[in-house]
Amino acid sequence: MKKGATSIFRTNLSEGAAQCAFTLAAVPTEQEAGAVDVVAQGIVAALSKDTFNDVQWLDLPCGPAVSCVTWREYQLGPEVTATAQPADFVTAEMQIHVPFPTGPFTAVFTLVTASIDHWSQSST
């Protein structure tokens, strides 16, 4: 390769391609400055109501945060599958909720994917 040349990485897509959707939102939470523990506790309480959610408290350098991992399985009808056979469709979603230390918002980072072949479902 010549000096300064850029290499191009190409992959063989015969085994499929992974895809995911990432979003970031600033959600109004109306907390007072410094009330991040109260907001995080409320997020834990709200997310824990869904038994499919794996909710964890996180202690980050910026303050408390909450992670939530959810697995969902959908049944696809034969009319929407490539094989014309019914199929299971599994998605995974990971969210991190980080209350702003100065209020009145919470940052919500969300990653959703159906490309879960190498993602272990075991909790740590």
Side-chain angles (χ1 to χ4, degrees), residues 21-22 67-70 92-96 109-113 119:
F22 175 78
S67 75
C68 180
V69 177
T70 307
E93 175 182 276
M94 177 185 284
Q95 287 189 328
I96 307 295
F109 301 85
T110 305
L111 177 70
V112 179
T113 185
W119 188 357

Side-chain angles (χ1 to χ4, degrees), residues 73-90:
E73 183 174 327
Y74 304 95
Q75 307 301 313
L76 299 180
E79 64 277 3
V80 297
T81 64
T83 62
Q85 298 294 319
D88 295 336
F89 181 69
V90 180

Side-chain angles (χ1 to χ4, degrees), residues 10-95:
R10 298 193 194 281
T11 185
N12 180 353
L13 295 179
S14 64
E15 295 182 23
Q19 70 78 34
C20 66
F22 175 78
T23 58
L24 170 60
V27 179
T29 46
E30 301 179 11
Q31 84 265 20
E32 294 182 22
V36 291
D37 282 347
V38 173
V39 174
Q41 289 169 5
I43 293 168
V44 168
L47 293 175
S48 295
K49 289 180 181 180
D50 186 336
T51 59
F52 290 104
N53 290 343
D54 177 12
V55 180
Q56 303 289 324
W57 181 277
L58 303 173
D59 287 316
L60 301 179
C62 64
V66 179
S67 75
C68 180
V69 177
T70 307
W71 292 79
R72 302 266 186 223
E73 183 174 327
Y74 304 95
Q75 307 301 313
L76 299 180
E79 64 277 3
V80 297
T81 64
T83 62
Q85 298 294 319
D88 295 336
F89 181 69
V90 180
T91 64
E93 175 182 276
M94 177 185 284
Q95 287 189 328

